[in-house]
Amino acid sequence: MPMAGKGMLLTSMDIDAAHEAEFNRWYDREHLGERVAIDGFLEARRYVANIGKPKYLSLYSTETFEVLDSPAYRTALANQTAWSKANINRFKNMIRAVARITISHGVGRAAALGIVRLRPGGGKDKLRAALDPLLDPADLDGIISMHLIESDPALSKPLTKDAEASNPGAGDWFVLIDATSVHAVPKASARIVENAAVKPLVVTNGVYRLLFDLAKSDLHAH
């Protein structure tokens, strides 16, 4: 954007159809507002898959990476409401990435999100350098901004009961592509997933539509 803040929490999950209406109600009416209210959190966005899995995805921006391991955030996690606990216990296939924003080009947020998940392996500095020019949206119509977030393997654990299970993806990276429509995403994604240095590291590649965006300033507008 360059993206506001330096930290990002990415969560993604599936939910059974029987509980989906309540899950969406909880996310819209309680969960996003509760998270954005935490000291150091700047905004939250939630998405639904156009192409990709899991079906639901949320991004939370924080002023610094350290906010995501702060006493304020840990207190919030330890004091979930009964409604939160009920919904979190129903999450399936959960991804929870506590990440640093390491590359950010362009300005603004858009209606669609492309997301490419990478498993970096050893040469991280080399990979980051290879990705940097690929994440410049200047010559891509409909692409507003592009970013790289890098998960912290020690902090990236699901909130569900399988949190302690071994997680080979805990250190994964995610390329985020902010696009004005889902149709603009494939060309930008292809630049990354077809790159010779990057292609062997791609785990998944999806396209999501924005459902709801909530900024800290919105909470104080009432």
Side-chain angles (χ1 to χ4, degrees):
M1 313 194 183
M3 206 171 257
K6 294 285 177 256
M8 179 161 280
L9 171 65
L10 177 153
T11 62
S12 190
M13 70 288 292
D14 289 315
I15 196 88
D16 283 344
H19 300 296
E20 205 162 8
E22 188 188 348
F23 164 85
N24 282 304
R25 194 177 306 121
W26 164 72
Y27 241 109
D28 292 344
R29 299 282 179 249
E30 178 178 278
H31 189 59
L32 280 202
E34 206 175 57
R35 288 294 179 262
V36 173
I38 296 168
D39 284 350
F41 275 65
L42 299 172
E43 65 141 7
R45 295 180 268 160
R46 63 177 302 241
Y47 297 86
V48 65
N50 186 67
I51 303 164
K53 293 178 181 177
K55 182 174 181 179
Y56 291 98
L57 175 91
S58 297
L59 301 175
Y60 306 83
S61 300
T62 60
E63 286 173 12
T64 64
F65 172 76
E66 288 71 28
V67 167
L68 294 165
D69 195 30
S70 66
Y73 181 47
R74 286 201 301 267
T75 298
L77 289 178
N79 293 279
Q80 308 271 18
T81 67
W83 200 18
S84 289
K85 286 177 184 170
N87 278 283
I88 289 167
N89 284 336
R90 295 176 187 144
F91 290 178
K92 296 192 165 178
N93 308 316
M94 191 190 187
I95 299 165
R96 181 170 173 274
V98 174
R100 290 174 174 84
I101 301 167
T102 54
I103 299 173
S104 189
H105 294 304
V107 179
R109 291 159 296 286
L113 182 78
I115 183 159
V116 182
R117 184 176 186 172
L118 306 171
R119 196 151 294 163
K124 293 182 179 177
D125 291 341
K126 198 171 171 184
L127 176 60
R128 199 178 296 115
L131 284 168
D132 198 6
L134 304 178
L135 300 187
D136 181 352
D139 60 346
L140 291 166
D141 287 346
I143 303 301
I144 300 301
S145 56
M146 298 173 77
H147 320 277
L148 177 67
I149 68 170
E150 303 180 18
S151 303
D152 182 290
L155 295 177
S156 299
K157 294 188 174 92
L159 297 179
T160 41
K161 48 189 171 292
D162 53 357
E164 296 312 314
S166 96
N167 182 1
D172 285 356
W173 294 5
F174 297 84
V175 171
L176 307 177
I177 302 164
D178 267 292
T180 54
S181 82
V182 295
H183 308 295
V185 172
K187 188 176 177 186
S189 294
R191 183 196 271 186
I192 294 144
V193 301
E194 297 303 326
N195 179 277
V198 180
K199 191 171 187 175
L201 310 174
V202 174
V203 180
T204 54
N205 179 14
V207 184
Y208 287 76
R209 289 183 294 106
L210 183 67
L211 293 173
F212 179 22
D213 183 328
L214 185 70
K216 181 82 91 184
S217 55
D218 297 325
L219 300 182
H220 305 306
H222 298 302

